[in-house]
Amino acid sequence: MFSKILIANRGEIALRVIRACKEMGIKTVAVYSQADADSLHVEFADEAVCIGPAPSAASYLNIAAIMSAAEITDVEAIHPGYGFLSENAHFAEICESCHITFIGPTPENIRLMGDKMIAKDTMRKAGVPIIPGSKAVIDNKDDAIKIANKIKYPVIVKASSGGGGKGMRVAHNDVRLASSIITAQSEAEVSFGNANVYLEKYFEKPRHIEVQILADKFGHVVHLGERDCTVQRRHQKLIEETPSPVLNQKIRKKIAEAAVRAAKAVNYINAGTIEFLLDTDGTFYFMEMNTRIQVEHTITEMVTGIDLVKEQIKIAAGRKLEYSQDDIKFEGAAIECRINAEDSENGFMPSPGKIENLHFPGGRGVRLDSHIYSGYTIPPFYDSMIGKLIVHGKDRQDAIKIMQRALEEFVIGPIKTTIPFHKFVFNNPQFLRGNYYTNFVEQILEKKV
Ligand code: MV4
């Protein structure tokens, strides 16, 4: 096992990794930007190294500065968390060449899944259902129009290097398709430095279902069930729950098996998530694979009792998975609400600043993963998520009751947060029935449901 790990991240996920390391008897090194000198991850780690000024590009994305910190502190491994360098194949390669273990998948895994077209083609060959669409990059509008008329409108143009919703365009007819391709291509070129786009049938009322997998270096792959992440705004998830309120046991088993097949097809190693689009009729299709630990990993931990960050570290250290699929038991239901420093009553406008009043909820079934404290100033430079409120109940109804109570107990001020939004959702009849789609947040903001 490693004796010292560097955490190349900040905020709640840096704390989350430090906590796992402490329980495993591993020493920790935090890295921080000049704007994060007062952060809890700096306080809680055994050592801390300043890696640059506030902007991410100069600090948390600064590979040279992070590798220098790793060399100076003599760590054996780096945990990248999520975001920042977590899905950067080049960074994973540099770690390898410096003989420092990257706690995550191989550079090849990351690179393959980073190209959505290649990922899709790999899944098709592995027998994982994929969304009908173009089999190659779109290079002229006539071919695109032919494909669109074959799969029937509406269609969606997606960027090959995209993901997470960036660079997507929906088209309902030939004329709009031609212009959508041009705009999607130029957006993709600007955002990703790669203008390649492809075409898919567009689903109007999908749900976002993802499956957590773990894979060790000996080819063993297990799944840890699904998460329903359908409550999103502008491709930012706000609420995640497990199990999904809409899957029956038959589809649940099929989607989990498809995820294991997907991971095996690419010789995947470490923790990963396979995202599926679920149609209203229960058919599901591969969307993309996330090659990192995700924000919402916590709800899977609650229902399985498995610490995913510890598993990531053990896998990276070359340990075999200690259990097989049948040993994994799922208990109850878990829900996560993302607490962002945003004014959900004013267009989710960012609301950085000093926290003067703070009270964390507690009691039965409540977990709070957060790096904030009373007197802490939220810097304006980074992601607005300041915490995750996670509940675990004996079933969905019980979890909802715990969440409603915990949201009532929660005080953060005077900065604005997404707590009022969550209180509103947990009183919405459609949400309470589990009857919602990806347009749900838009609908409630327009007061339609
Ligand atoms: C789609 C889709 C409908 N049809 N693809 C959004 C993020 C990225 N992972 C893919 N996304 C979508 N792809 C087809 N063919 C609808 C979405 C989508 C979405 C998916 C899941 C959750 C929320 C969403 C919000 C808007 C669009």
Side-chain angles (χ1 to χ4, degrees):
M1 185 44 66
F2 308 115
S3 58
K4 205 199 262 190
I5 290 177
L6 181 143
I7 299 105
N9 215 301
R10 65 179 302 281
E12 72 84 21
I13 193 64
L15 273 190
R16 170 73 191 83
V17 177
I18 291 170
R19 285 171 171 154
C21 289
K22 283 192 175 173
E23 290 175 17
M24 295 174 84
I26 299 170
K27 291 199 192 68
T28 53
V29 177
V31 294
Y32 64 101
S33 73
Q34 284 166 9
D36 276 342
D38 296 331
S39 283
L40 229 42
H41 75 286
V42 174
E43 185 70 25
F44 285 4
D46 296 303
E47 294 171 71
V49 182
C50 183
I51 49 166
S56 303
S59 49
Y60 299 105
L61 293 171
N62 184 344
I63 296 178
I66 292 168
M67 295 317 292
S68 304
E71 294 292 348
I72 291 164
T73 54
D74 198 25
V75 299
E76 294 149 24
I78 298 182
H79 195 301
Y82 50 67
F84 296 126
L85 296 169
S86 61
E87 294 182 286
N88 185 318
H90 175 63
F91 178 61
E93 258 162 15
I94 288 179
C95 290
E96 243 174 44
S97 62
C98 294
H99 305 287
I100 293 173
T101 306
F102 176 81
I103 302 174
T106 65
E108 295 74 31
N109 291 157
I110 301 174
R111 202 161 272 133
L112 174 70
M113 289 304 169
D115 187 311
K116 307 303 160 187
M117 279 236 69
I118 297 177
K120 226 181 134 171
D121 200 50
T122 308
M123 293 309 151
R124 185 176 55 75
K125 288 174 183 150
V128 176
I130 56 164
I131 302 174
S134 59
K135 287 186 184 59
V137 171
I138 296 293
D139 50 16
N140 70 83
K141 76 170 168 47
D142 297 328
D143 285 354
I145 288 171
K146 266 186 219 146
I147 296 166
N149 284 286
K150 202 174 121 209
I151 60 178
K152 302 269 188 303
Y153 284 102
V155 297
I156 184 166
V157 186
K158 291 186 177 179
S160 221
S161 313
K166 270 181 263 165
M168 307 193 323
R169 275 280 177 289
V170 179
H172 288 84
N173 56 57
D174 292 355
V175 176
R176 288 300 182 89
L177 177 58
S179 63
S180 293
I181 290 168
I182 306 287
T183 41
Q185 281 172 333
S186 58
E187 253 182 46
E189 178 65 52
V190 172
S191 303
F192 315 112
N194 176 347
N196 288 348
V197 298
Y198 60 102
L199 205 65
E200 279 181 354
K201 169 103 190 131
Y202 180 66
F203 292 87
E204 313 253 10
K205 276 176 95 183
R207 288 184 77 119
H208 173 127
I209 308 285
E210 59 184 35
V211 179
Q212 177 72 54
I213 64 100
L214 282 175
D216 67 16
K217 293 183 179 176
F218 306 91
H220 305 127
V221 182
V222 294
H223 73 81
L224 285 85
E226 83 278 3
R227 296 185 287 256
D228 194 321
C229 308
T230 302
V231 181
Q232 311 192 355
R233 177 182 170 270
R234 299 194 183 168
H235 307 298
Q236 292 290 332
K237 294 167 188 162
L238 288 162
I239 301 171
E240 304 96 352
E241 60 175 311
T242 188
S244 167
V246 296
L247 292 188
N248 60 39
Q249 285 306 346
K250 195 175 150 208
I251 300 175
R252 173 165 293 121
K253 188 161 181 281
K254 269 175 57 182
I255 203 165
E257 283 169 357
V260 170
R261 225 165 33 244
K264 284 186 174 162
V266 297
N267 298 316
Y268 194 80
I269 298 170
N270 215 282
T273 301
I274 297 93
E275 289 184 8
F276 294 94
L277 185 154
L278 179 75
D279 197 7
T280 40
D281 65 1
T283 48
F284 61 85
Y285 307 92
F286 170 83
M287 265 201 300
E288 46 194 77
M289 180 168 188
N290 299 319
T291 54
R292 59 168 190 276
I293 191 77
Q294 287 186 281
V295 173
E296 62 272 24
H297 75 276
T298 56
I299 56 171
T300 300
E301 294 186 324
M302 301 315 284
V303 298
T304 60
I306 292 171
D307 184 319
L308 284 166
V309 176
K310 283 185 192 162
E311 294 304 299
Q312 284 194 291
I313 295 169
K314 288 191 266 181
I315 289 166
R319 298 271 186 90
K320 281 198 177 86
L321 285 175
E322 291 152 6
Y323 37 81
S324 57
Q325 190 63 56
D326 291 340
D327 299 322
I328 301 171
K329 302 288 179 227
F330 299 89
E331 240 185 72
I335 312 178
E336 173 177 273
C337 285
R338 294 194 189 191
I339 312 301
N340 299 340
E342 292 173 1
D343 187 353
S344 54
E345 281 152 329
N346 271 302
F348 290 80
M349 206 196 307
S351 180
K354 189 171 178 184
I355 296 170
E356 313 267 11
N357 316 312
L358 183 66
H359 179 76
F360 280 164
R364 180 182 75 99
V366 177
R367 166 175 172 183
L368 211 121
D369 280 22
S370 174
H371 60 291
I372 64 173
Y373 56 87
S374 184
Y376 174 67
T377 299
I378 300 156
F381 307 103
Y382 313 108
D383 190 273
S384 64
M385 198 182 73
I386 55 170
K388 310 186 297 203
L389 171 56
I390 305 120
V391 301
H392 183 210
K394 66 182 196 305
D395 52 29
R396 186 171 192 264
Q397 189 52 37
D398 189 35
I400 286 170
K401 287 291 173 203
I402 301 171
M403 185 63 86
Q404 287 167 336
R405 166 188 68 78
L407 286 167
E408 286 300 328
E409 287 176 19
F410 212 160
V411 178
I412 306 177
I415 61 138
K416 302 286 187 197
T417 73
T418 46
I419 293 171
F421 167 82
H422 291 304
K423 285 181 178 169
F424 189 73
V425 171
F426 277 81
N427 272 307
N428 179 280
Q430 257 184 253
F431 179 80
L432 297 178
R433 273 186 271 122
N435 176 26
Y436 57 86
Y437 301 94
T438 43
N439 59 0
F440 175 69
V441 178
E442 259 168 64
Q443 282 191 348
I444 60 170
L445 295 177
E446 291 163 16
K447 307 252 188 292
K448 285 190 180 144
V449 291

